[in-house]
mmCIF file of all heavy atoms in Angstrom:
data_model
loop_
_atom_site.group_PDB
_atom_site.id
_atom_site.type_symbol
_atom_site.label_atom_id
_atom_site.label_comp_id
_atom_site.label_asym_id
_atom_site.label_seq_id
_atom_site.Cartn_x
_atom_site.Cartn_y
_atom_site.Cartn_z
ATOM 1 N N THR A 1249 131.138 220.447 99.418
ATOM 2 C CA THR A 1249 130.089 219.481 99.759
ATOM 3 C C THR A 1249 128.980 219.603 98.787
ATOM 4 O O THR A 1249 128.842 220.580 98.024
ATOM 5 C CB THR A 1249 129.492 219.744 101.199
ATOM 6 O OG1 THR A 1249 128.705 220.970 101.142
ATOM 7 C CG2 THR A 1249 130.564 219.904 102.214
ATOM 8 N N ALA A 1250 128.100 218.589 98.762
ATOM 9 C CA ALA A 1250 126.946 218.637 97.896
ATOM 10 C C ALA A 1250 125.932 219.689 98.239
ATOM 11 O O ALA A 1250 125.145 220.219 97.453
ATOM 12 C CB ALA A 1250 126.189 217.287 97.962
ATOM 13 N N GLN A 1251 126.002 220.156 99.502
ATOM 14 C CA GLN A 1251 125.055 221.143 100.062
ATOM 15 C C GLN A 1251 125.549 222.596 99.814
ATOM 16 O O GLN A 1251 124.786 223.580 99.952
ATOM 17 C CB GLN A 1251 124.904 220.974 101.600
ATOM 18 C CG GLN A 1251 124.290 219.618 102.007
ATOM 19 C CD GLN A 1251 125.380 218.530 102.112
ATOM 20 O OE1 GLN A 1251 126.496 218.758 101.815
ATOM 21 N NE2 GLN A 1251 124.962 217.350 102.576
ATOM 22 N N THR A 1252 126.838 222.755 99.501
ATOM 23 C CA THR A 1252 127.496 224.087 99.413
ATOM 24 C C THR A 1252 126.688 225.054 98.491
ATOM 25 O O THR A 1252 126.418 226.191 98.818
ATOM 26 C CB THR A 1252 128.902 224.021 98.957
ATOM 27 O OG1 THR A 1252 129.671 223.197 99.869
ATOM 28 C CG2 THR A 1252 129.551 225.420 98.867
ATOM 29 N N GLY A 1253 126.344 224.535 97.269
ATOM 30 C CA GLY A 1253 125.584 225.397 96.313
ATOM 31 C C GLY A 1253 124.306 225.903 96.870
ATOM 32 O O GLY A 1253 123.923 227.062 96.639
ATOM 33 N N ARG A 1254 123.554 225.039 97.561
ATOM 34 C CA ARG A 1254 122.311 225.481 98.180
ATOM 35 C C ARG A 1254 122.565 226.529 99.242
ATOM 36 O O ARG A 1254 121.778 227.552 99.297
ATOM 37 C CB ARG A 1254 121.536 224.267 98.735
ATOM 38 C CG ARG A 1254 120.227 224.622 99.406
ATOM 39 C CD ARG A 1254 119.183 225.258 98.537
ATOM 40 N NE ARG A 1254 118.864 224.349 97.415
ATOM 41 C CZ ARG A 1254 118.332 224.795 96.232
ATOM 42 N NH1 ARG A 1254 118.134 226.095 96.052
ATOM 43 N NH2 ARG A 1254 118.039 223.961 95.317
ATOM 44 N N HIS A 1255 123.511 226.302 100.078
ATOM 45 C CA HIS A 1255 123.786 227.306 101.148
ATOM 46 C C HIS A 1255 124.137 228.646 100.560
ATOM 47 O O HIS A 1255 123.716 229.692 101.051
ATOM 48 C CB HIS A 1255 124.893 226.810 102.038
ATOM 49 C CG HIS A 1255 124.611 225.505 102.760
ATOM 50 N ND1 HIS A 1255 123.362 225.083 103.081
ATOM 51 C CD2 HIS A 1255 125.476 224.550 103.335
ATOM 52 C CE1 HIS A 1255 123.422 223.921 103.707
ATOM 53 N NE2 HIS A 1255 124.723 223.578 103.874
ATOM 54 N N LEU A 1256 124.963 228.638 99.456
ATOM 55 C CA LEU A 1256 125.341 229.836 98.810
ATOM 56 C C LEU A 1256 124.118 230.596 98.243
ATOM 57 O O LEU A 1256 123.955 231.835 98.404
ATOM 58 C CB LEU A 1256 126.360 229.615 97.703
ATOM 59 C CG LEU A 1256 127.821 229.259 98.146
ATOM 60 C CD1 LEU A 1256 128.567 228.766 96.933
ATOM 61 C CD2 LEU A 1256 128.457 230.533 98.780
ATOM 62 N N SER A 1257 123.243 229.871 97.564
ATOM 63 C CA SER A 1257 122.063 230.467 96.987
ATOM 64 C C SER A 1257 121.072 230.958 98.029
ATOM 65 O O SER A 1257 120.326 231.897 97.813
ATOM 66 C CB SER A 1257 121.344 229.496 95.994
ATOM 67 O OG SER A 1257 120.800 228.403 96.641
ATOM 68 N N ASN A 1258 121.111 230.320 99.197
ATOM 69 C CA ASN A 1258 120.236 230.725 100.327
ATOM 70 C C ASN A 1258 120.869 231.831 101.118
ATOM 71 O O ASN A 1258 120.235 232.292 102.067
ATOM 72 C CB ASN A 1258 119.978 229.484 101.270
ATOM 73 C CG ASN A 1258 118.928 228.620 100.642
ATOM 74 O OD1 ASN A 1258 118.199 228.972 99.759
ATOM 75 N ND2 ASN A 1258 118.781 227.428 101.234
ATOM 76 N N ASP A 1259 122.092 232.196 100.804
ATOM 77 C CA ASP A 1259 122.827 233.250 101.570
ATOM 78 C C ASP A 1259 122.806 232.919 103.068
ATOM 79 O O ASP A 1259 122.543 233.783 103.903
ATOM 80 C CB ASP A 1259 122.153 234.622 101.285
ATOM 81 C CG ASP A 1259 123.013 235.802 101.692
ATOM 82 O OD1 ASP A 1259 124.276 235.616 101.797
ATOM 83 O OD2 ASP A 1259 122.511 236.925 101.816
ATOM 84 N N VAL A 1260 123.099 231.617 103.321
ATOM 85 C CA VAL A 1260 123.155 231.221 104.714
ATOM 86 C C VAL A 1260 124.414 230.420 105.000
ATOM 87 O O VAL A 1260 124.900 229.690 104.119
ATOM 88 C CB VAL A 1260 121.862 230.397 105.121
ATOM 89 C CG1 VAL A 1260 121.917 229.051 104.334
ATOM 90 C CG2 VAL A 1260 121.792 230.084 106.597
ATOM 91 N N GLU A 1261 125.011 230.618 106.192
ATOM 92 C CA GLU A 1261 126.233 229.901 106.482
ATOM 93 C C GLU A 1261 125.999 228.473 106.772
ATOM 94 O O GLU A 1261 125.008 228.116 107.486
ATOM 95 C CB GLU A 1261 126.867 230.641 107.712
ATOM 96 C CG GLU A 1261 127.147 232.113 107.500
ATOM 97 C CD GLU A 1261 125.941 232.971 107.545
ATOM 98 O OE1 GLU A 1261 124.897 232.549 108.053
ATOM 99 O OE2 GLU A 1261 126.034 234.124 107.075
ATOM 100 N N PRO A 1262 126.943 227.566 106.356
ATOM 101 C CA PRO A 1262 126.794 226.125 106.641
ATOM 102 C C PRO A 1262 126.537 225.794 108.088
ATOM 103 O O PRO A 1262 125.816 224.951 108.465
ATOM 104 C CB PRO A 1262 128.007 225.494 106.100
ATOM 105 C CG PRO A 1262 128.539 226.462 105.067
ATOM 106 C CD PRO A 1262 128.083 227.817 105.555
ATOM 107 N N GLU A 1263 127.285 226.548 108.971
ATOM 108 C CA GLU A 1263 127.192 226.290 110.377
ATOM 109 C C GLU A 1263 125.821 226.629 110.982
ATOM 110 O O GLU A 1263 125.381 225.984 111.939
ATOM 111 C CB GLU A 1263 128.331 227.024 111.191
ATOM 112 C CG GLU A 1263 128.397 228.478 110.983
ATOM 113 C CD GLU A 1263 129.301 228.900 109.792
ATOM 114 O OE1 GLU A 1263 129.504 228.077 108.908
ATOM 115 O OE2 GLU A 1263 129.680 230.122 109.832
ATOM 116 N N VAL A 1264 125.106 227.553 110.318
ATOM 117 C CA VAL A 1264 123.779 227.913 110.808
ATOM 118 C C VAL A 1264 122.800 226.770 110.432
ATOM 119 O O VAL A 1264 121.986 226.361 111.290
ATOM 120 C CB VAL A 1264 123.306 229.260 110.152
ATOM 121 C CG1 VAL A 1264 121.807 229.505 110.428
ATOM 122 C CG2 VAL A 1264 124.115 230.442 110.667
#
Side-chain angles (χ1 to χ4, degrees):
T1249 72
Q1251 299 84 355
T1252 300
R1254 177 61 61 202
H1255 299 335
L1256 285 169
S1257 66
N1258 281 346
D1259 198 17
V1260 66
E1261 302 74 18
E1263 56 271 21
V1264 172

